[in-house]
């Protein structure tokens, strides 16, 4: 359905990315539709999987997860079994918010959240470096968050 998104679908998606709790009536007003066709379009976007789910975005510092780190991971070998073993392991860790397999210098990049540096050190020592496929981990600690967004840019 992504190739069939029209301008109204894009407007609906832009508004919902900013406010997933907006009422259908307010959404319809904002995108220039009446409520019934607006709701039908939202349902079609959900059914097509374009809208994956609705979530609450939390303030990490206010829930005790104020430290974000980026861990660059190198694997012992580059085969499919090692990659799958790593993927299965990191999926089990709630501290790992995002994990990307990469090309270039390292094999994977993880965004990890935890309470503080000591907690991260424990996570790295007790879990991350104990994954059998992991050869090496280097951690980058951001000093300040300049931008944090969950809104995908939608081409017109």
């Amino acid at each position: 359905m992504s190739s069939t998104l029209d301008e109204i679908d894009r407007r609906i998606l832009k508004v919902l990315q900013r406010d997933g709790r907006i009422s259908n009536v307010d959404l319809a007003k904002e995108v220039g539709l009446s409520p019934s066709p607006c709701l039908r379009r939202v349902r079609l976007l959900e059914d097509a999987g374009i809208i994956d789910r609705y979530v609450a975005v939390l303030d990490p510092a206010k829930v005790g997860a104020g430290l974000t780190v980026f861990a660059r991971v190198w694997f012992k070998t580059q085969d499919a079994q090692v990659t799958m073993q790593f993927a299965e392991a990191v999926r089990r860790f709630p501290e790992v918010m995002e994990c990307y397999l990469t090309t270039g210098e390292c094999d994977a990049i993880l965004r990890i959240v935890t309470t503080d540096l000591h907690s991260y050190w424990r996570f790295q020592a007790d879990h991350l470096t104990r994954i059998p496929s992991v050869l090496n981990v280097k951690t980058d600690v951001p000093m300040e968050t300049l931008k944090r967004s969950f809104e995908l840019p939608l081409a017109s």
Side-chain angles (χ1 to χ4, degrees), residues 38-67:
C38 182
L39 184 59
R40 186 170 49 253
R41 282 180 177 257
V42 170
R43 296 286 186 247
L44 287 171
L45 292 166
E46 292 169 348
D47 291 344
I50 293 169
I51 297 174
D52 185 35
R53 66 184 176 268
Y54 298 90
V55 300
V57 178
L58 308 179
D59 181 328
K62 292 180 180 175
V63 295
L67 178 69

Side-chain angles (χ1 to χ4, degrees), residues 90-156:
V90 297
R91 285 185 184 118
R92 290 192 303 263
F93 303 135
E95 297 89 346
V96 177
M97 302 301 295
E98 296 175 75
C99 176
Y100 301 94
L101 295 177
T102 61
T103 61
E105 185 184 341
C106 62
D107 297 307
I109 296 175
L110 287 68
R111 182 171 70 91
I112 299 167
V113 297
T114 188
T115 55
D116 53 31
L117 273 175
H118 182 74
S119 295
Y120 171 69
W121 175 74
R122 292 286 356 137
F123 171 77
Q124 181 179 335
D126 295 343
H127 300 292
L128 194 54
T129 56
R130 291 187 186 213
I131 299 171
S133 55
V134 170
L135 173 67
N136 192 16
V137 175
K138 295 203 185 278
T139 304
D140 296 309
V141 180
M143 296 187 315
E144 184 175 345
T145 302
L146 299 177
K147 180 179 179 182
R148 181 174 173 242
S149 176
F150 299 96
E151 295 178 37
L152 292 175
L154 299 175
S156 296

Side-chain angles (χ1 to χ4, degrees), residues 2 12 29-30 36 38 49 65 70 76 97 108 114 120 124 129:
S2 63
I12 289 170
K29 283 181 197 172
E30 195 159 335
S36 212
C38 182
F70 297 93
K76 290 179 180 172
M97 302 301 295
T114 188
Y120 171 69
Q124 181 179 335
T129 56

